[in-house]
Amino acid sequence: MRSTVLAAAAAAALILSAAALAGTGTTPTQPVYDAKGHVIMTPFAPPPDRKRLTEAEATKIALAIPEVRNWLKRYPTKGLVTESTYKDGVWTFKAWSGEAGQIAQAKIADDTNLVTDVFTGPQVAWGMARGGPGAFGGEKINSPLVWGLFCLLFFVGLADLRRPLSVRNLDLLVLLSFTVSLWYFNRGDIFTSVPLSYPPLVYAIARCAWIGFRGRGSPTRLVWSTWMLVGATVFLIGFRIGLNVETSNVIDVGFAGVVGAQRIVHDHQMPYGHMPIEDDLKACGPANQDGEIRERIQTNGRCEAANDRGDTYGPVSYEAYIPGYLLRGWSGKWDSLPAARYTSILWDLLCIGGLWLFGNRVGGRRYAAMFAFAWAAYPFTQYVSNSNTNDSIVPAFLIWGLWLASSPVSRGAAAALSGWTKFGTLLVAPLWMSYPRLTARIAIRFVAGWAIATILAFSIVLLEPNPLHALRIFEQRTLGWQLGRQSVFSLWDWRQYHAKGIPDLHRVQQVLEAIVVAASLAVAFVPRTKSLLQLTALTGMLIAGFELVLTHWFYLYIPWFFPFVMAAMLMARVEPPPDPEEPEPSGSEHRELVPTA
């Protein structure tokens, strides 16, 4: 009975207090107690749209942020436009400057003045420029422990430890030095990471040119035996597969490959112009953290996640995903995409297997073990595998083409299939046509192989009602778009920021592009007669040169040139190549190198 009376009294007091507060038009900001110290009312939570700061105050806070303040100093104050908008307890600050467009953005908590996000320059428009070690490949491969393990194995397994100052050791350290650039990239410092990627690229070009035109490598002795290299390679293969299966992610490139395979196999369409899109289509999935709904009902009636710019690659890039799609299918969502993971692992293994066969051809088991180990231990090849992209497909065809280099038809087919994956390696066609010497007979056979592979690659246009129109769509969606794209991931397109202290190197890029194209034609004639070492080195030189002048360059492209640069650096001196007019030996019988490693 007593508890009932107390409860009634408390309730009455609560009602009276609330009425009193309502009458005064105030709300409690602290707990309300009765005469005996009991809590009878707690503070009301303010409505979410009630602002504590004004727009001017939020803007003042944003302009005081060091990153924002330092970046805005690069622009004239006269053309600067700022805006701060409020939503759900957060202020969003934005700044624009003339032709540069939006140049800064920040988010500020209204109740605490806490700055939660700051983006300046390239980080505003490019999410991948904002840093974060797990964005590509997942956090495991980007961790210092795992990445350092790969670097250590790569160097110790291939270094000339008896001569610490040897050229071999310098070569290995330079190939690993891309890690420094990646470290800054993972921290969102694009204006440091991008310049640091060029010295190792230039070194690779110069080193391969030196080897390719001289025709001699750098013989040395390794500490590890052949069987130690084989054992380490087997271990690394298992470790690499485990990292992919357990810790990798699939970025938009791998996603596009699976979609393209689905379009070819299931929808009987070429990928170009048929990628899933968002615009004007019915939503069929939840919104992401930015409020965007990517899953839409497509014209084929399926609910699919959008990837409207996924059709920018060559046809082989999508055809290579067909086995994975047939085995694992596709749910229509951007989920774990097992078909993309299967494809990535498959082509990674094909690169290792091809390097084993190529190494065995040029120098027996010793070279086979070195080449296969080098790919397995190099961290950037695993970076590609863990990102599940198509970037192992590009070198795989050329690696196998080197193993079959004695056949002009096979070389032509390999060069075409690699080039019609991501276009850049089309530059090696004149070089590969001229091995071991440019003659009419070799050129005709090479062109025949190139043409057959090209026709097979582009056979998907026959799935369309009008194949000629389909080819025009292909050109518009691939080369037409790629040649005009902007990017912050090279020195050549920073002029888009119109910022003080950032040079416009567009003209320099154009000059270098002309040099690369001229070099790709010149190496068909000089050296006039080429050994397999020279073919390998000059291939690495041309691909690295192409990457040097790319407007959009990224670390995933390093494996395009790595196996050829690496093999040229590891090879020893060669014997004179065979006379091209004599019958050519088979790939398994013909050796040109004197194995001295």
Side-chain angles (χ1 to χ4, degrees):
M1 185 68 179
R2 182 181 178 183
S3 60
T4 304
V5 172
L6 290 176
L14 180 60
I15 293 172
L16 291 172
S17 299
L21 289 169
T24 61
T26 61
T27 56
T29 58
Q30 298 294 330
V32 179
Y33 302 91
D34 63 13
K36 295 185 177 181
H38 299 121
V39 176
I40 60 173
M41 182 171 276
T42 58
F44 293 142
D49 59 346
R50 177 167 295 178
K51 295 177 284 190
R52 189 177 63 86
L53 299 173
T54 65
E55 179 180 354
E57 290 171 334
T59 300
K60 183 178 180 180
I61 293 171
L63 292 174
I65 300 171
E67 295 94 325
V68 173
R69 183 178 64 249
N70 293 336
W71 183 252
L72 295 186
K73 286 180 181 178
R74 297 174 178 267
Y75 297 89
T77 306
K78 183 178 179 181
L80 189 66
V81 178
T82 63
E83 173 189 86
S84 293
T85 57
Y86 176 84
K87 183 179 179 181
D88 297 334
V90 177
W91 287 92
T92 300
F93 166 84
K94 295 180 180 180
W96 295 266
S97 177
E99 296 180 0
Q102 187 179 346
I103 56 176
Q105 180 173 308
K107 291 185 180 296
I108 304 161
D110 181 72
D111 57 344
T112 63
N113 294 6
L114 181 66
V115 178
T116 56
D117 289 312
V118 180
F119 304 127
T120 59
Q123 297 175 338
V124 174
W126 290 82
M128 59 188 288
R130 297 174 182 177
F136 293 86
E139 293 186 4
K140 187 65 70 174
I141 182 60
N142 285 281
S143 69
L145 178 62
V146 174
W147 193 273
L149 175 63
F150 275 102
C151 291
L152 180 63
L153 287 174
F154 178 79
F155 182 79
V156 173
L158 299 173
D160 185 354
L161 298 180
R162 296 182 180 86
R163 296 187 301 160
L165 300 180
S166 65
V167 175
R168 165 71 62 82
N169 295 346
L170 177 62
D171 291 340
L172 299 176
L173 290 174
V174 170
L175 288 174
L176 291 173
S177 69
F178 286 103
T179 298
V180 181
S181 174
L182 180 64
W183 189 86
Y184 282 100
F185 167 78
N186 283 338
R187 281 149 184 80
D189 189 351
I190 301 302
F191 290 105
T192 301
S193 68
V194 169
L196 287 174
S197 66
Y198 286 91
L201 267 178
V202 172
Y203 180 92
I205 295 168
R207 187 79 169 93
C208 284
W210 177 258
I211 296 171
F213 290 111
R214 292 177 71 243
R216 289 185 295 175
S218 302
T220 187
R221 294 185 179 276
L222 303 181
V223 174
W224 286 15
S225 68
T226 298
W227 292 111
M228 287 178 66
L229 290 172
V230 171
T233 303
V234 172
F235 164 79
L236 284 168
I237 289 173
F239 187 58
R240 291 166 69 91
I241 294 174
L243 278 177
N244 183 295
V245 172
E246 298 295 332
T247 69
S248 71
N249 58 17
V250 182
I251 66 172
D252 57 348
V253 179
F255 178 32
V258 175
V259 177
Q262 190 274 341
R263 293 294 189 260
I264 296 170
V265 174
H266 187 269
D267 292 350
H268 306 295
Q269 298 174 323
M270 70 173 190
Y272 308 104
H274 296 298
M275 282 283 160
I277 61 175
E278 288 186 47
D279 297 341
D280 301 323
L281 296 178
K282 182 180 178 181
C284 57
N288 60 19
Q289 59 184 4
D290 297 323
E292 181 183 17
I293 301 177
R294 297 186 59 88
E295 294 175 13
R296 306 277 176 160
I297 302 295
Q298 304 298 316
T299 55
N300 60 6
R302 279 168 47 97
C303 178
E304 296 178 346
N307 190 358
D308 58 346
R309 290 308 323 181
D311 54 353
T312 62
Y313 312 110
V316 178
S317 181
Y318 306 101
E319 293 157 349
Y321 282 80
I322 289 177
Y325 171 75
L326 291 174
L327 284 174
R328 306 306 302 269
W330 177 45
S331 67
K333 302 181 183 297
W334 194 339
D335 49 22
S336 62
L337 292 167
R341 298 170 188 268
Y342 173 90
T343 303
S344 181
I345 292 172
L346 172 64
W347 286 95
D348 186 65
L349 294 176
L350 285 172
C351 286
I352 294 175
L355 284 169
W356 175 275
L357 293 173
F358 172 56
N360 190 63
R361 172 185 174 177
V362 300
R365 292 178 181 173
R366 186 67 165 158
Y367 274 66
M370 281 196 300
F371 291 0
F373 170 81
W375 179 279
Y378 192 53
F380 285 97
T381 60
Q382 186 61 31
Y383 192 68
V384 166
S385 178
N386 260 45
S387 298
N388 290 287
T389 70
N390 52 19
D391 294 289
S392 291
I393 304 173
V394 176
F397 286 113
L398 295 182
I399 291 169
W400 285 78
L402 286 178
W403 178 54
L404 301 170
S406 58
S407 167
V409 175
S410 299
R411 290 201 314 275
L417 293 173
S418 176
W420 294 128
T421 301
K422 295 191 81 168
F423 305 117
T425 52
L426 291 172
L427 281 173
V428 307
L431 169 66
W432 280 46
M433 184 171 61
S434 66
Y435 171 79
R437 180 182 296 177
L438 186 58
T439 66
R441 180 174 64 89
I442 290 177
I444 291 171
R445 295 175 66 188
F446 177 90
V447 171
W450 198 92
I452 292 170
T454 298
I455 291 171
L456 290 175
F458 280 90
S459 62
I460 59 174
V461 302
L462 299 177
L463 299 172
E464 300 298 315
N466 187 339
L468 290 178
H469 178 69
L471 287 174
R472 287 194 292 271
I473 296 297
F474 161 78
E475 188 279 329
Q476 294 170 4
R477 301 291 294 181
T478 58
L479 295 173
W481 183 78
Q482 293 278 9
L483 293 174
R485 73 183 301 187
Q486 291 184 321
S487 175
V488 301
F489 299 103
S490 74
L491 294 173
W492 317 122
D493 202 29
W494 283 359
R495 67 187 186 280
Q496 63 180 287
Y497 295 105
H498 303 275
K500 181 176 21 176
I502 297 180
D504 182 355
L505 299 177
H506 184 57
R507 296 300 180 190
V508 177
Q509 180 190 23
Q510 291 177 327
V511 172
L512 292 176
E513 287 173 341
I515 293 174
V516 171
V517 172
S520 72
L521 299 175
V523 292
F525 306 96
V526 181
R528 184 180 178 187
T529 302
K530 303 173 183 67
S531 68
L532 196 52
L533 169 61
Q534 290 173 300
L535 177 65
T536 304
L538 294 175
T539 297
M541 179 194 75
L542 289 178
I543 299 175
F546 171 77
E547 295 192 23
L548 182 73
V549 301
L550 272 180
T551 298
H552 181 77
W553 181 88
F554 199 61
Y555 306 97
L556 297 170
Y557 303 164
I558 294 174
W560 295 10
F561 65 78
F562 166 72
F564 315 106
V565 173
M566 172 272 301
M569 291 175 173
L570 294 178
M571 285 186 192
R573 187 170 181 171
V574 301
E575 295 295 334
D579 187 336
E581 298 301 329
E582 294 295 326
E584 298 181 24
S586 66
S588 60
E589 297 174 353
H590 177 50
R591 287 187 183 173
E592 295 177 350
L593 297 180
V594 178
T596 59

